[in-house]
């Protein structure tokens, strides 16, 4: 209440009602920079015993100014000396808690732009608690992207980073490549829709060659072709210590050379899964007929039902399983389907590209052989 009065904003009633919770969801509250300042003051200088570890601030129009206040709040080791210059009037009245830690932070849809990227980079460089950070849809480009990556380069705690829909471009990809050479904690990086070209992927691969912690890399809906796809698989093949298990380039049309390289790479890195486009476009034969015939023959030989196969991987009984789990189950079962056919089957069962296979579709898919018999049905 004192912080809001000082800044000149109206207190958010939801915040007041949920002071004792570990997750504070303030998405879509229209805080703006002044509200961000009041929130930062409250989280650092607290009269109540708060234990917030998950802070959600998506869609609040915080801008670069709000990012600066959050930077101060997220510094790892809070002391009066660190913050008195920013909140001098408040510190004369309130007591600083030195053990405040935020582990998960959602700052998506806040239009931080270049200057905000600089503040966020400083925050990452100094923070020693944050593990999950969502910065999607924030216009982080050029100098802002480069400044942010400078902070990521020296960060020692962040594991999950969402930078999708920011327009990093090749300049940002180059900075990310440099950051990945030194960062040894990040395991998940989402770069979907960032205007990265094949050239940018090449720069990113320089960092992947030296990195041994990143497990998942999402690069869908960038300006990539099969050339960029080949570069990504090649770096995995030539890097024995790589931890990469998932690469998403689901909109990239690939060719036979790519699939052959991927097959060779998976022999050395069996846990690798690459999502790509083109499974149904690369061959003249009707893929749906081939995969359904193979699946039916496999099940018939073992006197199994389609239902039994899916139930083994659907632990929760929801009739929906993650694409990665389904792909592994098919491969490990030695079903005679190649990568093209497996991806075709996944596309049939995940029609909305949600990342989840809805196997209810499997019981309504029907196709006919030359004899006209039903291959798969209820």
């Amino acid at each position: 209440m004192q912080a809001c009065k000082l800044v000149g904003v109206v207190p958010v009633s939801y915040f007041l009602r949920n002071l004792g919770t570990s997750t504070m969801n303030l998405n879509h509250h229209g805080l703006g920079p002044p509200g961000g300042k009041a929130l930062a003051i409250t989280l650092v200088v607290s009269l109540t015993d708060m234990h917030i570890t998950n802070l959600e601030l998506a869609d609040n129009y915080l801008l670069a100014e709000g990012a600066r206040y959050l930077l101060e709040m997220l510094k790892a080791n809070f002391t009066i000396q660190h913050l008195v210059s920013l909140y001098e009037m408040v510190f004369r009245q309130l007591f600083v808690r030195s053990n405040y830690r935020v582990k998960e932070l959602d700052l998506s849809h806040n239009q931080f732009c270049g200057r905000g990227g600089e503040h966020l980079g400083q925050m990452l460089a100094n923070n020693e608690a944050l593990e999950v950070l969502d910065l999607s849809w924030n216009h982080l480009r050029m100098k802002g992207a480069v400044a942010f990556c400078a902070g990521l380069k020296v960060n020692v705690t962040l594991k999950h980073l969402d930078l999708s829909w920011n327009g990093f471009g090749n300049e940002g990809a180059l900075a990310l490549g440099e950051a990945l050479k030194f960062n040894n904690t990040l395991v998940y990086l989402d770069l979907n829709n960032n205007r990265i070209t094949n050239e940018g992927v090449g720069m990113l691969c320089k960092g992947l060659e030296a990195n041994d912690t990143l497990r998942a890399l999402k690069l869908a809906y960038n300006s990539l072709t099969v050339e960029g796809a080949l570069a990504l698989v090649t770096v995995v093949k030539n890097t024995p210590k790589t931890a990469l298990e998932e690469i998403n380039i689901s909109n990239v049309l690939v060719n036979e050379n790519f699939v052959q390289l991927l097959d060779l790479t998976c022999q050395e890195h069996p846990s690798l899964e690459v999502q790509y486009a083109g499974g149904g476009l690369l061959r003249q034969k009707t893929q749906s007929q081939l995969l359904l015939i193979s699946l039916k023959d496999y099940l018939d030989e073992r006197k199994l039902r389609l239902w039994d196969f899916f139930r083994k991987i659907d632990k929760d009984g929801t009739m929906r399983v993650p694409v990665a789990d389904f792909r592994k189950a098919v491969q490990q079962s030695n079903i005679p389907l190649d990568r093209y056919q497996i991806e075709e089957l996944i596309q049939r069962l995940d029609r909305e590209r949600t990342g989840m296979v809805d196997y209810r579709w499997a019981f309504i898919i029907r196709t006919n052989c030359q004899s006209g018999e039903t291959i798969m049905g209820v």
Side-chain angles (χ1 to χ4, degrees):
M1 297 293 288
Q2 293 182 52
C4 290
K5 182 177 181 180
L6 173 70
V7 178
V9 296
V10 178
V12 176
S13 59
Y14 177 88
F15 184 88
L16 296 174
R17 295 196 306 269
N18 292 274
L19 289 176
T21 62
S22 60
T23 297
M24 183 63 69
N25 186 340
L26 295 177
N27 294 339
H28 319 297
H29 274 77
L31 297 179
K37 182 176 182 178
L39 177 63
I41 294 172
T42 304
L43 293 177
V44 176
V45 189
S46 176
L47 291 175
T48 56
D49 188 18
M50 291 189 293
H51 303 282
I52 299 172
T53 59
N54 185 355
L55 180 59
E56 300 185 15
L57 293 171
D59 192 24
N60 272 291
Y61 201 69
L62 293 172
L63 305 180
E65 183 182 354
R68 179 166 63 89
Y69 301 134
L70 291 170
L71 157 67
E72 296 293 338
M73 185 270 289
L74 287 170
K75 282 184 177 177
N77 299 308
F78 291 117
T79 65
I80 291 181
Q81 287 75 19
H82 282 148
L83 298 174
V84 69
S85 61
L86 183 59
Y87 307 128
E88 185 175 356
M89 294 178 62
V90 181
F91 276 101
R92 291 174 181 171
Q93 304 175 48
L94 303 178
F95 173 73
V96 179
R97 290 181 60 90
S98 61
N99 63 348
Y100 185 75
R101 293 290 185 274
V102 172
K103 292 186 177 180
E104 299 182 24
L105 186 60
D106 183 351
L107 292 173
S108 58
H109 295 269
N110 275 296
Q111 300 182 38
F112 288 132
C113 300
R115 191 63 185 273
E118 296 176 16
H119 295 316
L120 291 165
Q122 295 174 36
M123 177 270 288
L124 275 186
N126 291 281
N127 185 274
E128 295 180 358
L130 198 61
E131 297 180 0
V132 180
L133 179 60
D134 185 350
L135 289 174
S136 57
W137 296 88
N138 270 301
H139 305 287
L140 298 176
R141 301 165 186 167
M142 295 181 287
K143 291 183 179 180
V146 173
F148 174 81
C149 292
L152 178 63
K153 180 178 180 179
V154 297
N155 181 270
V156 295
T157 58
L158 193 64
K159 298 178 180 179
H160 188 292
L161 177 60
D162 188 344
L163 291 172
S164 59
W165 296 88
N166 269 297
F168 255 50
N170 290 345
E171 188 175 357
L174 173 61
L176 273 172
E178 287 299 311
L180 290 175
K181 290 179 182 179
F182 298 91
N183 183 285
N184 59 7
T185 57
L186 197 65
V187 298
Y188 176 98
L189 178 59
D190 190 340
L191 293 174
N192 287 342
N193 214 311
N194 263 286
R195 304 179 184 176
I196 298 173
T197 68
N198 293 334
E199 181 183 359
V201 165
M203 300 170 181
L204 195 61
C205 285
K206 296 294 184 182
L208 295 176
E209 290 174 354
N211 185 279
D212 59 1
T213 57
L214 190 67
R215 296 180 183 176
L217 176 62
K218 296 184 178 294
L219 280 166
Y221 307 106
N222 284 285
S223 301
L224 304 184
T225 66
V226 66
E227 180 184 344
L230 285 167
L232 287 166
V233 175
T234 299
V235 77
V236 175
K237 184 177 186 300
N238 296 337
T239 309
K241 67 176 183 178
T242 184
L244 271 175
E245 298 177 346
E246 178 186 351
I247 299 176
N248 187 332
I249 46 173
S250 57
N251 66 307
V252 179
L253 294 173
V254 300
N255 56 24
E256 295 277 359
N257 291 336
F258 172 86
V259 175
Q260 291 174 7
L261 177 62
L262 182 57
D263 287 337
L264 289 174
T265 303
C266 287
Q267 293 177 16
E268 302 173 14
H269 303 272
S271 62
L272 177 66
E273 298 295 341
V274 180
Q275 299 176 43
Y276 55 86
L281 301 175
L282 297 173
R283 296 182 178 180
Q284 297 298 318
K285 296 180 180 179
T286 304
Q287 292 293 324
S288 57
Q289 287 186 351
L290 293 175
L291 68 93
L292 291 174
I293 291 171
S294 297
L295 183 58
K296 179 179 182 298
D297 290 344
Y298 170 84
L299 295 174
D300 287 347
E301 289 174 3
R302 290 157 180 77
K303 298 181 180 180
L304 295 175
R305 298 177 303 168
L306 187 63
W307 175 262
D308 298 326
F309 173 78
F310 281 108
R311 285 295 294 171
K312 287 182 179 180
I313 53 177
D314 181 15
K315 305 299 182 182
D316 300 324
T318 61
M319 299 194 78
R320 299 176 77 246
V321 295
V323 164
D325 292 349
F326 174 74
R327 187 184 289 110
K328 287 181 180 179
V330 173
Q331 293 171 341
Q332 293 173 357
S333 299
N334 295 319
I335 298 175
L337 299 178
D338 61 24
R339 286 186 176 275
Y340 289 129
Q341 295 169 322
I342 293 175
E343 293 306 316
E344 173 75 13
L345 182 57
I346 289 173
Q347 290 177 20
R348 296 286 298 268
L349 300 179
D350 181 20
R351 298 190 176 192
E352 302 299 325
R353 294 298 183 91
T354 62
M356 299 291 291
V357 164
D358 186 341
Y359 61 86
R360 288 174 295 185
W361 284 107
F363 297 99
I364 61 175
I365 293 175
R366 290 175 181 271
T367 187
N368 295 324
C369 297
Q370 293 179 348
S371 63
E373 66 175 315
T374 299
I375 299 301
M376 191 186 307
V378 178

mmCIF file of all heavy atoms in Angstrom, residues 127-147:
data_model
loop_
_atom_site.group_PDB
_atom_site.id
_atom_site.type_symbol
_atom_site.label_atom_id
_atom_site.label_comp_id
_atom_site.label_asym_id
_atom_site.label_seq_id
_atom_site.Cartn_x
_atom_site.Cartn_y
_atom_site.Cartn_z
ATOM 1 N N ASN A 127 21.687 -12.173 -11.746
ATOM 2 C CA ASN A 127 20.747 -13.022 -11.027
ATOM 3 C C ASN A 127 21.294 -14.423 -10.822
ATOM 4 O O ASN A 127 21.883 -15.011 -11.727
ATOM 5 C CB ASN A 127 19.420 -13.089 -11.795
ATOM 6 C CG ASN A 127 18.365 -13.864 -11.050
ATOM 7 O OD1 ASN A 127 18.303 -15.075 -11.157
ATOM 8 N ND2 ASN A 127 17.546 -13.170 -10.301
ATOM 9 N N GLU A 128 21.084 -14.982 -9.631
ATOM 10 C CA GLU A 128 21.545 -16.330 -9.310
ATOM 11 C C GLU A 128 20.424 -17.193 -8.756
ATOM 12 O O GLU A 128 20.653 -18.084 -7.946
ATOM 13 C CB GLU A 128 22.700 -16.266 -8.304
ATOM 14 C CG GLU A 128 23.947 -15.594 -8.854
ATOM 15 C CD GLU A 128 25.068 -15.558 -7.840
ATOM 16 O OE1 GLU A 128 24.838 -16.024 -6.709
ATOM 17 O OE2 GLU A 128 26.156 -15.070 -8.176
ATOM 18 N N ALA A 129 19.192 -16.923 -9.213
ATOM 19 C CA ALA A 129 18.063 -17.702 -8.721
ATOM 20 C C ALA A 129 17.104 -18.109 -9.831
ATOM 21 O O ALA A 129 16.519 -19.183 -9.788
ATOM 22 C CB ALA A 129 17.304 -16.910 -7.655
ATOM 23 N N LEU A 130 16.932 -17.266 -10.848
ATOM 24 C CA LEU A 130 15.934 -17.499 -11.880
ATOM 25 C C LEU A 130 16.248 -18.756 -12.692
ATOM 26 O O LEU A 130 17.366 -18.931 -13.166
ATOM 27 C CB LEU A 130 15.875 -16.277 -12.809
ATOM 28 C CG LEU A 130 14.627 -16.123 -13.678
ATOM 29 C CD1 LEU A 130 13.385 -15.989 -12.797
ATOM 30 C CD2 LEU A 130 14.767 -14.902 -14.575
ATOM 31 N N GLU A 131 15.232 -19.627 -12.864
ATOM 32 C CA GLU A 131 15.404 -20.869 -13.608
ATOM 33 C C GLU A 131 14.531 -20.934 -14.863
ATOM 34 O O GLU A 131 14.900 -21.593 -15.830
ATOM 35 C CB GLU A 131 15.085 -22.072 -12.704
ATOM 36 C CG GLU A 131 16.027 -22.205 -11.519
ATOM 37 C CD GLU A 131 15.687 -23.387 -10.643
ATOM 38 O OE1 GLU A 131 14.705 -24.111 -10.960
ATOM 39 O OE2 GLU A 131 16.381 -23.605 -9.629
ATOM 40 N N VAL A 132 13.385 -20.274 -14.844
ATOM 41 C CA VAL A 132 12.456 -20.297 -15.977
ATOM 42 C C VAL A 132 12.090 -18.864 -16.345
ATOM 43 O O VAL A 132 11.644 -18.097 -15.493
ATOM 44 C CB VAL A 132 11.176 -21.092 -15.640
ATOM 45 C CG1 VAL A 132 10.220 -21.097 -16.821
ATOM 46 C CG2 VAL A 132 11.523 -22.514 -15.226
ATOM 47 N N LEU A 133 12.273 -18.495 -17.619
ATOM 48 C CA LEU A 133 12.013 -17.129 -18.056
ATOM 49 C C LEU A 133 11.316 -17.139 -19.409
ATOM 50 O O LEU A 133 11.808 -17.708 -20.378
ATOM 51 C CB LEU A 133 13.328 -16.349 -18.149
ATOM 52 C CG LEU A 133 13.248 -14.891 -18.625
ATOM 53 C CD1 LEU A 133 12.368 -14.065 -17.691
ATOM 54 C CD2 LEU A 133 14.637 -14.280 -18.717
ATOM 55 N N ASP A 134 10.143 -16.496 -19.476
ATOM 56 C CA ASP A 134 9.392 -16.365 -20.726
ATOM 57 C C ASP A 134 9.438 -14.921 -21.184
ATOM 58 O O ASP A 134 8.873 -14.035 -20.548
ATOM 59 C CB ASP A 134 7.935 -16.803 -20.500
ATOM 60 C CG ASP A 134 7.128 -16.806 -21.798
ATOM 61 O OD1 ASP A 134 7.626 -16.298 -22.821
ATOM 62 O OD2 ASP A 134 5.992 -17.319 -21.787
ATOM 63 N N LEU A 135 10.134 -14.670 -22.305
ATOM 64 C CA LEU A 135 10.255 -13.323 -22.874
ATOM 65 C C LEU A 135 9.685 -13.276 -24.287
ATOM 66 O O LEU A 135 10.087 -12.434 -25.098
ATOM 67 C CB LEU A 135 11.723 -12.887 -22.893
ATOM 68 C CG LEU A 135 12.361 -12.583 -21.548
ATOM 69 C CD1 LEU A 135 13.849 -12.312 -21.700
ATOM 70 C CD2 LEU A 135 11.680 -11.383 -20.896
ATOM 71 N N SER A 136 8.749 -14.138 -24.588
ATOM 72 C CA SER A 136 8.177 -14.166 -25.931
ATOM 73 C C SER A 136 7.383 -12.889 -26.210
ATOM 74 O O SER A 136 6.875 -12.239 -25.304
ATOM 75 C CB SER A 136 7.271 -15.394 -26.089
ATOM 76 O OG SER A 136 6.239 -15.403 -25.112
ATOM 77 N N TRP A 137 7.315 -12.518 -27.497
ATOM 78 C CA TRP A 137 6.531 -11.362 -27.945
ATOM 79 C C TRP A 137 6.967 -10.070 -27.258
ATOM 80 O O TRP A 137 6.172 -9.359 -26.666
ATOM 81 C CB TRP A 137 5.047 -11.586 -27.701
ATOM 82 C CG TRP A 137 4.431 -12.704 -28.478
ATOM 83 C CD1 TRP A 137 4.369 -14.016 -28.094
ATOM 84 C CD2 TRP A 137 3.809 -12.623 -29.767
ATOM 85 N NE1 TRP A 137 3.740 -14.769 -29.056
ATOM 86 C CE2 TRP A 137 3.373 -13.942 -30.102
ATOM 87 C CE3 TRP A 137 3.553 -11.585 -30.655
ATOM 88 C CZ2 TRP A 137 2.718 -14.223 -31.289
ATOM 89 C CZ3 TRP A 137 2.895 -11.873 -31.837
ATOM 90 C CH2 TRP A 137 2.489 -13.174 -32.150
ATOM 91 N N ASN A 138 8.248 -9.728 -27.323
ATOM 92 C CA ASN A 138 8.723 -8.513 -26.655
ATOM 93 C C ASN A 138 9.561 -7.595 -27.556
ATOM 94 O O ASN A 138 10.192 -6.672 -27.060
ATOM 95 C CB ASN A 138 9.530 -8.885 -25.403
ATOM 96 C CG ASN A 138 8.655 -8.988 -24.179
ATOM 97 O OD1 ASN A 138 7.993 -8.030 -23.788
ATOM 98 N ND2 ASN A 138 8.627 -10.158 -23.570
ATOM 99 N N HIS A 139 9.583 -7.844 -28.855
ATOM 100 C CA HIS A 139 10.323 -6.981 -29.793
ATOM 101 C C HIS A 139 11.800 -6.859 -29.419
ATOM 102 O O HIS A 139 12.393 -5.787 -29.558
ATOM 103 C CB HIS A 139 9.699 -5.576 -29.858
ATOM 104 C CG HIS A 139 8.245 -5.574 -30.206
ATOM 105 N ND1 HIS A 139 7.767 -5.853 -31.462
ATOM 106 C CD2 HIS A 139 7.144 -5.337 -29.437
ATOM 107 C CE1 HIS A 139 6.439 -5.778 -31.467
ATOM 108 N NE2 HIS A 139 6.040 -5.483 -30.255
ATOM 109 N N LEU A 140 12.409 -7.932 -28.944
ATOM 110 C CA LEU A 140 13.828 -7.915 -28.599
ATOM 111 C C LEU A 140 14.639 -8.167 -29.872
ATOM 112 O O LEU A 140 14.724 -9.297 -30.340
ATOM 113 C CB LEU A 140 14.137 -8.991 -27.542
ATOM 114 C CG LEU A 140 13.433 -8.827 -26.201
ATOM 115 C CD1 LEU A 140 13.761 -9.999 -25.295
ATOM 116 C CD2 LEU A 140 13.833 -7.518 -25.535
ATOM 117 N N ARG A 141 15.234 -7.116 -30.407
ATOM 118 C CA ARG A 141 15.929 -7.214 -31.685
ATOM 119 C C ARG A 141 17.240 -6.447 -31.657
ATOM 120 O O ARG A 141 17.455 -5.583 -30.818
ATOM 121 C CB ARG A 141 15.043 -6.659 -32.812
ATOM 122 C CG ARG A 141 13.714 -7.387 -32.941
ATOM 123 C CD ARG A 141 12.717 -6.637 -33.777
ATOM 124 N NE ARG A 141 11.409 -7.292 -33.765
ATOM 125 C CZ ARG A 141 10.291 -6.746 -34.190
ATOM 126 N NH1 ARG A 141 10.306 -5.513 -34.673
ATOM 127 N NH2 ARG A 141 9.155 -7.415 -34.136
ATOM 128 N N MET A 142 18.109 -6.777 -32.577
ATOM 129 C CA MET A 142 19.370 -6.071 -32.820
ATOM 130 C C MET A 142 20.118 -5.794 -31.512
ATOM 131 O O MET A 142 20.480 -6.721 -30.801
ATOM 132 C CB MET A 142 19.102 -4.797 -33.625
ATOM 133 C CG MET A 142 18.578 -5.104 -35.031
ATOM 134 S SD MET A 142 18.271 -3.648 -36.050
ATOM 135 C CE MET A 142 16.794 -2.994 -35.306
ATOM 136 N N LYS A 143 20.342 -4.533 -31.165
ATOM 137 C CA LYS A 143 21.150 -4.214 -29.983
ATOM 138 C C LYS A 143 20.534 -4.784 -28.706
ATOM 139 O O LYS A 143 21.253 -5.222 -27.808
ATOM 140 C CB LYS A 143 21.323 -2.715 -29.857
ATOM 141 C CG LYS A 143 22.198 -2.090 -30.941
ATOM 142 C CD LYS A 143 22.387 -0.605 -30.701
ATOM 143 C CE LYS A 143 23.284 -0.001 -31.778
ATOM 144 N NZ LYS A 143 23.481 1.458 -31.566
ATOM 145 N N GLY A 144 19.213 -4.763 -28.636
ATOM 146 C CA GLY A 144 18.555 -5.325 -27.456
ATOM 147 C C GLY A 144 18.789 -6.818 -27.335
ATOM 148 O O GLY A 144 19.037 -7.335 -26.235
ATOM 149 N N ALA A 145 18.735 -7.535 -28.462
ATOM 150 C CA ALA A 145 18.985 -8.977 -28.461
ATOM 151 C C ALA A 145 20.434 -9.272 -28.086
ATOM 152 O O ALA A 145 20.718 -10.187 -27.308
ATOM 153 C CB ALA A 145 18.662 -9.567 -29.836
ATOM 154 N N VAL A 146 21.355 -8.493 -28.639
ATOM 155 C CA VAL A 146 22.778 -8.699 -28.354
ATOM 156 C C VAL A 146 23.078 -8.441 -26.878
ATOM 157 O O VAL A 146 23.804 -9.210 -26.232
ATOM 158 C CB VAL A 146 23.642 -7.769 -29.240
ATOM 159 C CG1 VAL A 146 25.102 -7.852 -28.819
ATOM 160 C CG2 VAL A 146 23.485 -8.157 -30.707
ATOM 161 N N ALA A 147 22.502 -7.372 -26.329
ATOM 162 C CA ALA A 147 22.722 -7.046 -24.916
ATOM 163 C C ALA A 147 22.150 -8.131 -24.008
ATOM 164 O O ALA A 147 22.757 -8.508 -22.995
ATOM 165 C CB ALA A 147 22.091 -5.696 -24.588
#
